[in-house]
Amino acid sequence: MDRRSVVKGAGIASVLAAGLAACGKKEDATPVAPAAPVAPAVSTGSEIRWRLASSFPKALDTIYGAAETFAKKVGELSGGKFTITVHAGGELMPAGGVLDGASNGTVEMAHTAPYYFFGKDPTFALDCAIPFGLNSRQMTAWMYQGNGLKLTREFYAKVGIVNFPMGNTGAQMGGWYRKEIKSVADLNGLKFRVGGFGGKVLAKLGTVPQNIPGGEIYTALEKGTIDAAEWVGPYDDLKLGFNKVAPFYYYPGWWEGGPQLSLYVNQKAYEGLSAEYKAIVECAAAFAHTEMQAKYDAKNPAALKTLVGQGVKLRPFPNDVLGAAFKAAQEVYKELNDTNPAWKKIYDDYSAFRRESNLWFRFTEAKFDSFMQSQKL
Ligand code: CA
């Protein structure tokens, strides 16, 4: 190693040390190894080029954008040596094919919403969102400081993937309805486009969940093929114009109180990285994780104002809907606890964390938020 690369290596090491401190993870308490000898297949300073398959279209700039942010940071932190190209859903493989793609090494990385794979195993949803689950901050706390990352990594090891939290939308909206929902009885027979695991609970209330890609929702709502559809929240929903065909906009999206996106890394590819490149992946993912939530929190307020200005009828779900849905969710969880040991192992920890976290959040956070939101500033 010549003098120049030693200096450069030290520079990267100190950037990483600072980055890791910012990550604040328990296991990162040990200092980063200096850029000195690394034996794995890819040594620090080696030029590598990886591909990342996203499950999302480029039009979802906040969600798809998290993968672009990640790739950009990896490039910057590695001095341009570690290059990742990001590919939209359908470009290299179907949006729902990225789990297999990262698992079998067709691509080194994927970015997705793990609850898409609940049909393979509902346990995937615990790495994303379940009805009446953790909110965004709680999810991040469980992953980084609770047992979330450890337990989900054990689960993903079975399919050869190393996972990292990479983005959260925050609590989503409850979707667009052609007719008003006055009580839980109005959900019976409702043909509802809903993403992910929430459909399992809605089905218990008589709702008929529909799986329709984002680009086809508008036409289905317009034609009345479906009665209602949920997507994300004001910023993304406004762009698709659902308010023109379904005037009632409900909240909250109780099936997605804090859905987290995940970065999947093929395990063999990950293990072949130098310690420094592994740290770069970890910190770039943590940066993209924070940035995505910040984008939503910054962009949703103006979008909601615009929608209300266009005559959208904003409605809270009636209490009996929330109550019945909560009860139905507990039934689904009991069935899974009784039949799926992988689910039970993670859900036990997740639900204990949720209980303790809500016990705390109901005091300072909730009181402060509700007071501030009622003030005229
Ligand atoms: Ca959604």
Side-chain angles (χ1 to χ4, degrees):
M1 193 182 267
D2 65 24
R3 194 180 166 275
R4 216 171 125 229
S5 58
V6 168
V7 170
K8 202 171 170 195
I12 288 170
S14 51
V15 166
L16 288 173
L20 284 171
C23 284
K25 291 187 57 185
K26 280 193 287 196
E27 61 267 41
D28 295 336
T30 39
V32 179
V38 276
V42 176
S43 60
T44 301
S46 298
E47 292 203 12
I48 52 169
R49 192 175 175 84
W50 278 12
R51 296 191 303 172
L52 184 156
S54 169
S55 281
F56 308 105
K58 289 181 183 171
L60 277 174
D61 59 312
T62 38
I63 303 184
Y64 177 82
E68 287 190 314
T69 292
F70 165 75
K72 185 165 174 277
K73 281 287 161 208
V74 168
E76 289 168 356
L77 287 165
S78 66
K81 295 285 176 66
F82 190 167
T83 310
I84 297 165
T85 55
V86 180
H87 303 269
E91 202 178 307
L92 300 176
M93 59 194 67
V98 305
L99 171 68
D100 290 341
S103 173
N104 63 28
T106 306
V107 286
E108 291 86 1
M109 293 176 151
H111 185 228
T112 193
Y115 65 18
Y116 289 157
F117 312 110
F118 80 89
K120 284 180 195 275
D121 187 333
T123 310
F124 282 104
L126 290 166
D127 183 39
C128 184
I130 61 170
F132 303 102
L134 298 169
N135 70 22
S136 176
R137 268 185 60 189
Q138 293 170 329
M139 186 69 185
T140 293
W142 180 62
M143 291 300 288
Y144 285 153
Q145 291 292 315
N147 295 317
L149 196 57
K150 175 176 164 280
L151 291 170
T152 51
R153 283 206 173 152
E154 275 174 25
F155 174 70
Y156 281 115
K158 289 185 273 187
V159 291
I161 282 174
V162 180
N163 62 303
F164 295 83
M166 200 159 94
N168 199 308
T169 65
Q172 295 195 2
M173 289 293 283
W176 299 89
Y177 298 73
R178 284 158 57 94
K179 290 184 185 152
E180 205 168 352
I181 301 296
K182 290 181 181 153
S183 81
V184 70
D186 292 331
L187 293 181
N188 194 22
L190 190 88
K191 284 178 282 182
F192 184 39
R193 185 275 168 197
V194 55
F197 183 65
K200 260 183 111 65
V201 171
L202 281 157
K204 282 202 177 273
L205 304 173
T207 301
V208 189
Q210 313 277 312
N211 189 8
I212 300 175
E216 294 164 29
I217 300 174
Y218 184 94
T219 311
L221 266 179
E222 189 181 32
K223 284 184 181 163
T225 319
I226 55 173
D227 305 305
E230 68 85 38
W231 185 232
V232 184
Y235 177 69
D236 295 315
D237 294 8
L238 175 64
K239 286 186 277 184
L240 294 182
F242 299 140
N243 52 313
K244 293 177 200 129
V245 284
F248 297 97
Y249 196 21
Y250 276 86
Y251 61 89
W254 45 264
W255 49 91
E256 290 173 290
Q260 176 182 275
L261 288 303
S262 267
L263 171 72
Y264 289 170
V265 188
N266 174 273
Q267 196 164 9
K268 280 203 186 100
Y270 182 73
E271 282 164 5
L273 291 178
S274 68
E276 283 79 5
Y277 279 176
K278 282 180 182 165
I280 285 174
V281 167
E282 180 176 37
C283 283
F287 181 86
H289 183 64
T290 307
E291 189 191 70
M292 184 172 137
Q293 181 65 76
K295 278 186 179 170
Y296 273 110
D297 289 343
K299 289 171 185 286
N300 274 327
L304 185 63
K305 262 192 181 171
T306 302
L307 286 167
V308 170
Q310 291 177 2
V312 163
K313 297 180 173 73
L314 203 56
R315 299 275 191 279
F317 279 122
N319 280 338
D320 77 325
V321 167
L322 292 176
F326 185 82
K327 192 163 163 269
Q330 308 319 306
E331 287 168 22
V332 169
Y333 302 149
K334 181 166 185 332
E335 287 160 20
L336 287 169
N337 283 339
D338 291 346
T339 55
N340 184 333
W343 163 280
K344 185 176 187 310
K345 184 175 182 190
I346 304 180
Y347 183 73
D348 280 351
D349 190 81
Y350 178 101
S351 54
F353 193 92
R354 179 179 52 185
R355 184 176 59 243
E356 296 303 310
S357 185
N358 281 326
L359 195 64
W360 154 239
F361 268 58
R362 66 184 286 192
F363 291 99
T364 295
E365 293 287 344
K367 185 70 180 162
F368 182 70
D369 287 353
S370 81
F371 177 80
M372 287 306 295
Q373 288 152 12
S374 64
Q375 301 309 302
K376 285 197 167 61
L377 293 171

